[in-house]
Amino acid sequence: MDDIGKICEKHGLDKNIVDEIISCGSVKEEEKRLKKISSLLEKL
Amino acid sequence: MKLNNVCLENYKIFYGKNILRFDNGVNVIEGKNGYGKTTIVDSIFFALYGKKNGDIINNFAKMNNERFCRVSIDFEHNGDKYNAERELSDNGEKFYLKINSNESNISVESIIPERAACLSFFDGESISSVVGYMENMDEMLGVAGLKAVKEDVEKLKKRLELTLTGTGKIKNFFRKMGEMKAVKKLEEKEKKIKMKISHEEKRINEIGYEVSEFKKILKKEKELDREERERGKLEKRYNELVDEEEKFKENMAYIILKDELEKAVENINKKKDEMLKERIKQGRINAQEELLTSILHSGRCICGTPVSTSNYGKHEISLLLENLKHEEEKIGKIKDFYMSSDDLVSALEKVKVSINPLIIKNEKEKIEIVLNKKCPPSKMDIVLKNLNEKRVEGKARELRIEELRSELAEIKDMIEEKREKIKTNKKWKTLKKIKNAERLISALDEIIEETKRLKKIETEKKASSILRTVTNKPREYRGVDVENMNIKNVSSELSDGEKHVLALSFLGGIKKDMVVIDMPFTRLDKTHKRKLLKKIPSLAEQVVLLDTDIDEIKNLTENVYHLRHDQERKVSVIT
């Protein structure tokens, strides 16, 4: 497991979903980005 | 970010359309002071962010009644292709953006913030100013994106919190969290019980199949058993037939005797007739003889009361006996002849009516065929035992399933109850998201620090390698300290030239997609310049150099543009 994986585990977070949230940064429109992050927060 | 094309039209000193095409690797723009090198860099920021200093429409164009300027840029960023075009005229400013050929109304700022774009554009005169302090270090170390995501999450968290009222809800959230954990545990238990039931059901199905197989075997065994019983009956019947056959054989003598006696009687009668005829002829016949004749003709004299001499004449009797004796020699069974007449008659009748030797023979043969056939012994008992065992096991498992189902129903009720409790708070999802956002923000802080740490190590390694190669003091300058934007373990103040070398080494360590440097070698001595020239292609994937003197750098690439100036019209053109 890499360092980021360890950090996610420490906080009880699913690394795959954290990665997905981080990749939301590439969504250009803010509202779309926040909506996507919001739905991922529910799954986290 | 990487530049593909820049098209300037009537922008500042440039009149008409002037196009620059950039490739990967090194691109060079040569132009004397005042010919428009820096204007090209300005035009890029005008197109992307609308930045403008003073009057930007070309004067010659204005004189020709072309009262507008336009800059169009094609560039790539994070795998997408963009076209940004900005126009300024008397009618105002217009901006167009296309992303992968599709028109978009979002701003370039939201794609590449201006502060991030600035980190790709350096002025040789001021590049050394980054030493000691690097503005936007996070952008440089590639964690700005992570920080932006963290800011988004924080923004989202605040929004979510605003949808809630009062702190009591937050406290309630933690209580719900506890209940959620309990639900999770119950769900796990439910899952395990379902698995157990599934296992039991699977086993019952298997037992059902085994029972059906045993039933098939049992059917066969029953047939064998019936066959065995049939064989027993046949054996009994066979024995009866054997007895009957024996009896028949005994009685056979009577049949033969009867036939022979009838023949004998016939012969005697015949002879008697002859004797009578002779005697009548001779006149010697009497009443006794007539009686004897009648008796002889009846045939009963043989099997009836023994012939008495009292009623018949000696001669006739002896004649008869003589004849009988003669017959006796033929049949050899004369002793039966002396039986009582009743026995003999009944025996004869019996034989005649009920015993048919052919029927016996046929039946015996049929039975023998059946009895001679191989017939395996029946295993019905064993099969029945196995079958019963399976049935008992099946029943036990069905009971177990009933127990498990009852347990499952209880757990389901409990889960439903707990879920109902949780559902009573309509803002449960919001609370959960807030809690998750809190955890994510903490995690992102650590992830940002970790990413920074790793990127610093990597950058320091690469930058130090470049610095050691290009510096005039390789023994003194061991490496780059990215944190403080300085050279490690150096107490003395660096000269502007040394700072310049350090800044370029740092750029090489970061290795961005693109770097544009206006006057890259200002303040550098020949040695530094010579050594740095070799490192220029490794500074970024795309390097754009703008300089007044390109004698040395033009050898790095074939993509060289020259800026020419028309003194009369006071305009520059790109060639």
Side-chain angles (χ1 to χ4, degrees):
Chain A
M1 192 188 287
D2 62 7
D3 294 330
I4 292 173
K6 281 177 191 167
I7 292 167
C8 291
E9 197 183 34
K10 187 179 124 189
H11 290 272
L13 301 168
D14 184 331
K15 186 183 177 282
N16 293 328
I17 297 173
V18 172
D19 283 343
E20 265 191 79
I21 290 172
I22 290 169
S23 70
C24 284
S26 64
V27 177
K28 292 161 191 83
E29 288 171 56
E30 188 187 25
E31 283 312 311
K32 277 188 185 173
R33 197 168 63 237
L34 292 181
K35 199 177 171 188
K36 209 171 171 192
I37 294 173
S38 176
S39 71
L40 287 165
L41 275 178
E42 202 181 323
K43 294 182 194 170
L44 204 64
Chain B
M1 177 191 183
K2 270 198 275 187
L3 292 168
N4 290 333
N5 297 306
V6 176
C7 176
L8 302 88
E9 196 172 352
N10 301 339
Y11 184 82
K12 286 191 175 177
I13 202 166
F14 294 99
Y15 172 66
K17 268 190 181 181
N18 286 273
I19 300 169
L20 291 154
R21 290 191 175 84
F22 297 103
D23 297 328
N24 275 352
V26 180
N27 301 268
V28 174
I29 300 168
E30 177 265 333
K32 289 180 181 171
N33 291 338
Y35 277 23
K37 295 188 300 299
T38 310
T39 302
I40 290 170
V41 175
D42 288 348
S43 75
I44 293 169
F45 278 84
F46 166 69
L48 296 176
Y49 305 105
K51 262 187 120 175
K52 45 190 183 286
N53 299 315
D55 188 3
I56 58 168
I57 301 174
N58 180 265
N59 287 329
F60 189 72
K62 280 185 200 167
M63 281 163 65
N64 285 336
N65 214 19
E66 296 171 39
R67 303 183 64 78
F68 76 97
C69 73
R70 188 185 295 127
V71 181
S72 171
I73 301 175
D74 292 321
F75 64 98
E76 291 171 30
H77 181 66
N78 287 343
D80 290 317
K81 288 187 174 176
Y82 297 83
N83 172 256
E85 186 178 297
R86 199 177 292 269
E87 185 186 299
L88 185 72
S89 68
D90 290 342
N91 297 328
E93 195 177 306
K94 289 176 184 170
F95 175 70
Y96 308 95
L97 182 70
K98 283 183 182 172
I99 304 171
N100 296 322
S101 305
N102 299 315
E103 283 183 14
S104 171
N105 53 9
I106 61 172
S107 67
V108 176
E109 180 68 29
S110 64
I111 303 160
I112 313 167
E114 193 182 339
R115 66 173 193 280
C118 283
L119 296 169
S120 292
F121 294 85
F122 293 94
D123 178 0
E125 294 286 338
S126 58
I127 193 169
S128 55
S129 64
V130 302
V131 173
Y133 172 71
M134 180 73 189
E135 201 181 3
N136 297 329
M137 181 63 89
D138 289 345
E139 292 283 357
M140 272 296 188
L141 294 174
V143 293
L146 285 169
K147 281 199 164 180
V149 170
K150 188 191 154 196
E151 280 168 18
D152 281 341
V153 177
E154 281 171 339
K155 201 184 277 180
L156 204 56
K157 184 180 162 256
K158 275 183 188 165
R159 277 194 197 179
L160 293 166
E161 280 169 348
L162 278 173
T163 62
L164 301 171
T165 51
T167 52
K169 294 277 167 66
I170 303 289
K171 283 178 186 171
N172 193 33
F173 163 72
F174 292 103
R175 188 175 60 78
K176 300 289 175 194
M177 280 292 277
E179 278 170 7
M180 271 304 283
K181 276 183 186 172
V183 168
K184 269 193 178 177
K185 273 187 184 175
L186 286 169
E187 279 173 342
E188 275 167 23
K189 208 173 175 184
E190 183 188 22
K191 204 174 161 186
K192 278 181 189 170
I193 291 172
K194 277 182 180 171
M195 276 171 72
K196 278 183 189 174
I197 289 175
S198 151
H199 171 76
E200 293 295 332
E201 281 174 344
K202 196 181 162 192
R203 185 65 198 124
I204 283 175
N205 280 340
E206 284 171 4
I207 289 169
Y209 175 74
E210 285 166 17
V211 165
S212 74
E213 287 299 303
F214 275 123
K215 276 182 180 174
K216 283 180 195 168
I217 297 168
L218 191 67
K219 201 177 167 186
K220 282 182 188 169
E221 293 301 320
K222 273 182 180 172
E223 277 172 22
L224 281 174
D225 193 57
R226 191 177 52 76
E227 255 179 61
E228 262 185 16
R229 277 187 273 117
E230 286 296 317
R231 283 167 76 90
K233 281 181 189 173
L234 287 173
E235 272 174 8
K236 195 180 167 190
R237 175 68 186 146
Y238 187 80
N239 291 334
E240 282 170 7
L241 289 171
V242 169
D243 289 345
E244 281 183 24
E245 201 175 43
E246 284 299 317
K247 213 180 273 177
F248 170 76
K249 278 179 184 170
E250 280 175 16
N251 293 326
M252 197 57 177
Y254 297 110
I255 296 164
I256 296 162
L257 181 64
K258 188 184 172 234
D259 290 347
E260 294 302 323
L261 279 174
E262 279 171 356
K263 280 179 191 172
V265 169
E266 202 180 327
N267 288 335
I268 290 165
N269 286 339
K270 216 172 168 182
K271 284 179 181 176
K272 187 62 189 167
D273 281 347
E274 284 168 7
M275 282 167 67
L276 278 170
K277 280 174 188 171
E278 188 59 34
R279 288 191 181 190
I280 290 163
K281 200 175 170 184
Q282 293 170 0
R284 291 168 58 200
I285 197 161
N286 58 26
Q288 274 188 325
E289 282 174 338
E290 280 174 12
L291 178 66
L292 185 61
T293 303
S294 67
I295 290 167
L296 282 170
H297 276 282
S298 74
R300 285 189 183 167
C301 60
I302 305 157
C303 55
T305 310
V307 177
S308 168
T309 51
S310 58
N311 296 326
Y312 309 101
K314 274 185 182 178
H315 176 71
E316 284 78 12
I317 295 300
S318 66
L319 186 64
L320 179 61
L321 288 174
E322 195 182 328
N323 277 298
L324 284 174
K325 201 174 178 183
H326 178 67
E327 293 300 324
E328 190 183 35
E329 283 168 6
K330 285 184 193 171
I331 62 176
K333 286 280 182 182
I334 203 68
K335 66 180 170 64
D336 293 323
F337 172 74
Y338 294 105
M339 284 176 69
S340 72
S341 60
D342 292 338
D343 288 348
L344 183 59
V345 170
S346 66
L348 284 171
E349 284 304 310
K350 195 177 172 187
V351 170
K352 195 178 172 184
V353 174
S354 66
I355 300 178
N356 187 331
L358 279 173
I359 293 170
I360 292 173
K361 196 183 171 192
N362 286 341
E363 196 179 345
K364 259 181 80 186
E365 279 172 1
K366 279 179 188 171
I367 292 172
E368 274 168 358
I369 289 166
V370 176
L371 293 177
N372 287 337
K373 270 186 190 170
K374 280 184 181 174
C375 180
S378 164
K379 291 174 186 168
M380 203 166 72
D381 290 346
I382 299 165
V383 177
L384 270 173
K385 193 186 163 197
N386 289 336
L387 189 63
N388 283 336
E389 277 174 6
K390 292 290 165 196
R391 279 177 177 157
V392 168
E393 189 189 344
K395 285 251 176 197
R397 285 185 190 276
E398 273 167 10
L399 281 173
R400 176 77 183 128
I401 285 177
E402 269 179 36
E403 282 171 17
L404 288 170
R405 281 197 177 134
S406 138
E407 199 180 337
L408 189 67
E410 277 176 30
I411 285 170
K412 273 186 178 170
D413 286 346
M414 283 161 80
I415 289 172
E416 208 49 50
E417 197 184 323
K418 286 202 179 287
R419 276 189 184 151
E420 204 53 47
K421 272 188 186 176
I422 292 162
K423 274 182 195 168
T424 50
N425 187 346
K426 289 177 184 174
K427 288 172 184 169
W428 162 247
K429 276 187 184 175
T430 313
L431 288 162
K432 190 183 171 189
K433 279 185 191 174
I434 291 169
K435 178 69 186 167
N436 285 346
E438 279 172 5
R439 285 153 67 209
L440 181 62
I441 290 164
S442 306
L444 280 171
D445 277 336
E446 288 181 32
I447 290 169
I448 288 165
E449 284 311 308
E450 182 62 17
T451 310
K452 249 179 166 178
R453 188 182 68 80
L454 294 170
K455 188 70 181 171
K456 269 184 196 168
I457 292 168
E458 191 192 340
T459 307
E460 279 183 354
K461 201 177 163 189
K462 286 181 186 170
S464 300
S465 165
I466 295 170
L467 180 71
R468 277 197 299 273
T469 319
V470 298
T471 182
N472 293 331
K473 299 174 180 174
R475 288 188 183 177
E476 216 175 308
Y477 297 165
R478 287 289 174 189
V480 174
D481 172 8
V482 168
E483 183 71 41
N484 300 308
M485 248 340 278
N486 216 323
I487 294 170
K488 283 179 183 170
N489 306 320
V490 170
S491 51
S492 60
E493 197 173 325
L494 301 171
S495 71
D496 281 349
E498 285 169 324
K499 284 178 181 174
H500 194 113
V501 169
L502 172 61
L504 289 174
S505 302
F506 176 71
L507 284 180
I510 291 287
K511 194 157 184 180
K512 295 173 73 65
D513 289 346
M514 178 194 74
V515 61
V516 178
I517 312 174
D518 191 2
M519 303 296 284
F521 305 113
T522 313
R523 294 199 192 93
L524 294 183
D525 58 42
K526 279 186 179 175
T527 321
H528 271 144
K529 193 175 175 181
R530 183 173 46 78
K531 286 177 180 174
L532 262 171
L533 269 171
K534 291 178 188 170
K535 294 288 171 188
I536 288 290
S538 64
L539 290 182
E541 282 185 44
Q542 185 184 60
V543 181
V544 180
L545 303 175
L546 302 103
D547 212 337
T548 51
D549 179 10
I550 59 160
D551 283 349
E552 285 161 315
I553 57 175
K554 69 181 178 186
N555 297 327
L556 295 171
T557 179
E558 289 178 358
N559 200 24
V560 180
Y561 290 96
H562 301 278
L563 305 184
R564 300 285 176 256
H565 191 67
D566 182 337
Q567 298 287 348
E568 281 183 22
R569 295 190 296 173
K570 294 179 183 172
V571 295
S572 289
V573 286
I574 299 167
T575 57

